[in-house]
Amino acid sequence: MEVPGAGRNRRIGPYALLGSGRTVGGGELFAARTDEGLLVTVTVAGPEPAANPEFRDRLRAAVEAARRLSGAFLVPVVDADADAPLPWVATRFTAGLPLRHAVDRHGALGEPALRVLADGIARALAVLHGAGTVHGEVDPDSVLLTMDGPRIGALGLVGATASPPPSPTDDMFGLGETVLYAASGGEQDTDALPASLREVIGGCLYPEPSDRPTAEQLVDYLEHQGLPAPEGGWLPPAVTADMAAAAAAVGSARAVQVPVPPRPVRAPGTGVSRRNLIISLAGGAALLGGGAAALAFSGDSAPPPEGRAGGPGTTARPTRPSGARTTSAPSPSGSSADGPEPVVLAGPDAVKAWSRTGKRAPTCLEASDKVVMVVTDKATSFMEAASGNRAFEALNARKTFGENSSHHPTAYADGVFYLFCETPGQFDLLAAFDAADGKVKWAVSLAASDPGGAKIVSNYGRQYLAASGGTVYVCGLVRDGKFSVDAPKTGYIRALSATTGKKLWQVQGTDINNVLVPPSGSRLLAASAVPAKQPGRVQMIDAARKGARGWKVPLRYPSGYFSSGWPLTGYADGNFLFAGGKGDTLSVVDAATGTEKWHQRFEARNGDRVSMGTPFSSPDGATVYVPVGSELVALATADGTPRWIATLDGASDSGGANLFKASLGLSGREAQCSADTVFATDSAKTLWAIDAATGRARWKYSDPSQPDVGFRWTVGGDRVFIASHLTMTAIAADGR
């Protein structure tokens, strides 16, 4: 880029430019020197933003704010000119290497260096966010490695001058991507993260911005682990040598090893805005092809290959629902019979039963018909379901990273709440709270029950918590630091006594993934974890025989549906439900034998690809609900007969078609049921209460002041409980 005003002497303002520049974020970066010999780094904006008067105004304001900031890991602003032909900003020169250069040349960083990297960037961001500003361009190019830790600029041109500006959660996503880049050598492989960083860096990459940790929380998390700081230099010798050479090239040989600076004073971040990017740590989210088209049903009276669910079969493509088909009996309505007319959802706004405001935003919710457990990053409290009043004394159990699309840290069964949590003195706990009085029944260290004994951090990732039949189940992935696209992941199931928390048994293997724990019975369902585009299967796990494998059903086209975080399975009245075919077929098998009862294929009338979301059932198990794009289909569990189809209208919050969030293939609790009501959220951030008998909307709820990413919610008895910012709201199922 030619720099206007630099002239033959390559000067800009009072600075002589040294060497060629490199592109970083919203500008080009040069080393420069004053006539007195002071080294600085000058970032010059490009011609396009320079032509925008609003850019220059925002730059002036950002420079003024940045001049007031200081921090151990921030590079301060020393000069700027927003009125130059190409506006520029000068920061103090810092001898170091861009992270991308170091990783590309010398490979991935080790665990001690990664921890210093994550901690330093987070401390710098904590200062920025505490001052009400954002960086906006945290990436391997903008992070500088120095002898005493990482550095980022106190002002990033993208973040400082964008309109609308990025949010603190965007900065945290950038931090996660940056550390992941350094850990994987540029491959963006989450399995390359060391065990001590998997949860917190994985949290930075969560799809929902509200699920990501703040910079302050990340620093607290790393400090709480109590791992020793690296001795001597924190970087590999080869990187240090490159750093010294780069410094010498611009006339600075300051390369002295010093300790990592002390922790700065931090303040909480401010503001949240949506980042229109969906990232699944488990392999990506399969969005609906063609934008959620209307449904049609088709079936096949002949069994699929091998007499099992999952074969493609031969199917008709009617333009109207024709009824479900079974593999053992003719269709109850015949191949040419019409199904129910779709019902467009429309209803009145809900009437709140009560609303209460707290001091901390909830990270998790769980409810019974009498009590709501509200978990924040500081404490766990209990509210009366009927009134919203305090039910019991609060506990110091906390959950910093709450529920999201692939992490379910709460459960309720038989009068007991269960929670993955931390306390001020302990991490990685599983606690049981009595729903009658809020007291702790027991708490156990999950790391202590890992094979190999207790460790500070565990290689057994906790993804899913469930309770049923006097047993608590902890499920997740085994992380051994190795990764190959050709090798499946290893999952595990750990069973503990619901009475004492004592470990009963554990099984693991590549055939255990996305475990489903039914509300009753001793049979669990697991999907095999297979490389992309290779066949998989689902199988029964017999809890009564300490996790012994049972029947197996092959699947011809599992694709991404059976990677971690995609439990596209359900349970209804003694039957297991799962997505087969190419993600467009619901298969229903007997939980005891694996014998298929019926299967139902869904087709888009316009020919676009259809992908089911997670199927779920009514509390009595008589009805199965299947979210598919903009439509929610109710089927009789006994034979697959369609009962009703509810459909959304309008656009999502990002401008596309409005979809049921449960149809996106993610495993979050985006659809739940009471005795006579189906609750489901959509991508326009509305919660719908749908009459389970008719498919018509009873009411809708949408909070104009809710976080940009939506709200957390759960169902207990005949009420739904919603957490929006600091406000908890209860709504009766009938909306009155």
Side-chain angles (χ1 to χ4, degrees):
M1 178 176 71
E2 292 294 327
V3 182
R8 294 179 60 184
N9 295 325
R10 290 181 54 79
R11 295 182 66 88
I12 187 163
Y15 305 106
L17 305 183
L18 306 175
S20 58
R22 62 183 179 90
T23 301
V24 176
E28 193 163 359
L29 188 147
F30 299 86
R33 188 194 304 272
T34 67
D35 292 339
E36 293 77 21
L38 174 68
L39 288 173
V40 297
T41 300
V42 177
T43 303
V44 184
E48 185 174 349
N52 184 351
E54 293 183 0
F55 168 85
R56 296 175 182 269
D57 293 339
R58 292 193 296 270
L59 181 60
R60 290 188 192 93
V63 167
E64 284 303 310
R67 286 181 187 273
R68 297 190 293 269
L69 298 178
S70 63
F73 297 94
L74 281 175
V75 181
V77 172
V78 297
D79 199 359
D81 188 351
D83 298 312
L86 289 182
W88 54 266
V89 176
T91 57
R92 187 179 67 193
F93 178 81
T94 303
L97 283 181
L99 175 63
R100 187 181 301 278
H101 174 101
V103 172
D104 288 353
R105 183 165 181 176
H106 302 290
L109 298 180
E111 179 175 4
L114 291 171
R115 290 176 60 83
V116 173
L117 178 69
D119 180 75
I121 299 174
R123 292 187 183 193
L125 292 178
V127 174
L128 292 175
H129 299 169
T133 65
V134 295
H135 192 273
E137 52 188 39
V138 180
D139 59 26
D141 292 306
S142 64
V143 173
L144 195 67
L145 303 183
T146 76
M147 293 296 183
D148 54 349
R151 296 289 187 274
I152 61 172
L155 184 150
L157 283 181
V158 171
T161 59
S163 180
S167 73
T169 57
D170 294 327
D171 277 348
M172 297 309 295
F173 190 94
L175 184 155
E177 285 189 316
T178 300
V179 175
L180 182 58
Y181 182 92
S184 60
E187 296 297 326
Q188 297 294 294
D189 168 19
T190 57
D191 281 349
L193 289 167
S196 64
L197 291 173
R198 281 182 191 133
E199 182 178 18
V200 72
I201 298 303
C204 292
L205 298 172
Y206 282 152
E208 295 293 346
S210 64
D211 291 332
R212 298 169 196 160
T214 65
E216 189 175 43
Q217 288 171 339
L218 193 155
V219 174
D220 284 342
Y221 179 90
L222 295 179
E223 285 186 344
H224 196 83
Q225 288 179 328
L227 294 179
E231 297 181 2
W234 71 286
L235 291 169
V239 176
T240 302
D242 261 10
M243 192 180 301
V250 292
S252 173
R254 296 183 59 195
V256 181
Q257 296 282 10
V258 298
V260 175
R263 174 177 177 168
V265 176
R266 293 174 280 111
T270 59
V272 177
S273 68
R274 182 176 182 83
R275 180 189 180 104
N276 291 316
L277 178 64
I278 301 296
I279 299 289
S280 171
L281 299 182
L287 300 180
L288 297 170
L295 295 183
F297 294 90
S298 69
D300 184 2
S301 57
E306 301 178 7
R308 293 287 195 174
T314 56
T315 58
R317 298 176 61 85
T319 58
R320 298 286 298 278
S322 63
R325 301 249 186 182
T326 71
T327 59
S328 57
S331 167
S333 57
S335 61
S336 60
D338 289 344
E341 284 286 342
V343 176
V344 177
L345 291 177
D349 292 333
V351 177
K352 298 178 182 179
W354 53 259
S355 186
R356 300 286 185 271
T357 300
K359 296 181 180 179
R360 310 286 298 188
T363 59
C364 310
L365 297 176
E366 192 69 54
S368 69
D369 59 341
K370 294 183 173 60
V371 178
V372 187
M373 181 176 71
V374 182
V375 186
T376 72
D377 61 350
K378 295 297 183 183
T380 296
S381 58
F382 302 91
M383 307 174 74
E384 293 179 351
S387 65
N389 296 330
R390 187 175 70 176
F392 318 122
E393 291 297 322
L395 303 172
N396 67 352
R398 66 187 187 187
K399 185 63 179 172
T400 303
F401 309 117
E403 180 177 0
N404 56 67
S405 60
S406 59
H407 183 58
H408 302 283
T410 65
Y412 172 80
D414 302 323
V416 181
F417 291 109
Y418 301 94
L419 173 67
F420 292 147
C421 61
E422 312 104 36
T423 65
Q426 291 180 289
F427 255 61
D428 206 15
L429 295 176
L430 172 58
F433 309 127
D434 194 320
D437 56 19
K439 294 182 179 179
V440 180
K441 290 174 64 69
W442 50 260
V444 297
S445 167
L446 291 174
S449 61
D450 283 349
K455 297 180 181 179
I456 295 176
V457 288
S458 174
N459 284 329
Y460 287 78
R462 329 293 181 193
Q463 292 181 298
Y464 179 59
L465 177 63
S468 175
T471 304
V472 182
Y473 298 93
V474 177
C475 308
L477 289 178
V478 181
R479 313 279 183 118
D480 58 5
K482 300 176 182 178
F483 175 79
S484 169
V485 295
D486 298 320
K489 294 179 172 64
T490 298
Y492 74 93
I493 305 171
R494 182 175 303 169
L496 303 96
S497 167
T499 304
T500 64
K502 181 180 178 181
K503 181 179 175 181
L504 302 176
W505 52 265
Q506 177 168 328
V507 293
Q508 65 186 57
T510 57
D511 58 344
I512 294 178
N513 194 39
N514 304 331
V515 179
L516 172 70
V517 178
S520 61
S522 62
R523 299 179 180 93
L524 317 182
L525 186 68
S528 58
V530 297
K533 300 181 181 179
Q534 292 190 26
R537 67 188 182 197
V538 293
Q539 68 177 335
M540 186 265 283
I541 304 294
D542 193 343
R545 296 196 299 143
K546 296 185 177 182
R549 272 70 163 180
W551 53 258
K552 301 175 178 65
V553 173
L555 299 161
R556 290 195 60 187
Y557 298 103
S559 187
Y561 286 92
F562 295 92
S563 58
S564 175
W566 294 72
L568 296 184
T569 56
Y571 176 86
D573 194 25
N575 303 291
F576 283 126
L577 326 170
F578 53 88
K582 296 183 178 180
D584 57 3
T585 302
L586 176 69
S587 295
V588 180
V589 302
D590 184 277
T593 65
T595 303
E596 184 180 82
K597 291 192 171 181
W598 51 271
H599 70 273
Q600 175 65 67
R601 184 181 176 193
F602 300 91
E603 293 182 337
R605 294 195 182 101
N606 63 3
D608 288 334
R609 178 185 172 187
V610 167
S611 297
M612 293 165 40
T614 305
F616 59 103
S617 74
S618 57
D620 63 5
T623 305
V624 173
Y625 304 103
V626 187
V628 190
S630 296
E631 301 194 331
L632 181 66
V633 184
L635 306 171
T637 302
D639 56 16
T641 302
R643 291 182 169 173
W644 49 257
I645 303 173
T647 184
L648 295 168
D649 197 8
S652 70
D653 63 336
S654 59
N658 192 12
L659 312 177
F660 282 104
K661 291 190 73 174
S663 73
L664 297 179
L666 302 176
S667 59
R669 300 180 185 179
E670 303 295 352
Q672 301 176 50
C673 298
S674 68
D676 60 358
T677 308
V678 180
F679 302 95
T681 52
D682 65 17
S683 55
K685 295 183 294 190
T686 300
L687 173 66
W688 293 93
I690 304 169
D691 189 307
T694 65
R696 299 185 180 278
R698 290 183 166 177
W699 50 263
K700 65 180 186 296
Y701 169 87
S702 181
D703 179 6
S705 65
Q706 68 183 283
D708 288 351
V709 295
F711 44 77
R712 299 184 186 277
W713 63 283
T714 192
V715 173
D718 286 327
R719 297 181 183 89
V720 61
F721 304 95
I722 303 166
S724 181
H725 283 307
L726 302 180
T727 302
M728 278 289 300
T729 298
I731 303 172
D734 59 11
R736 297 191 294 272

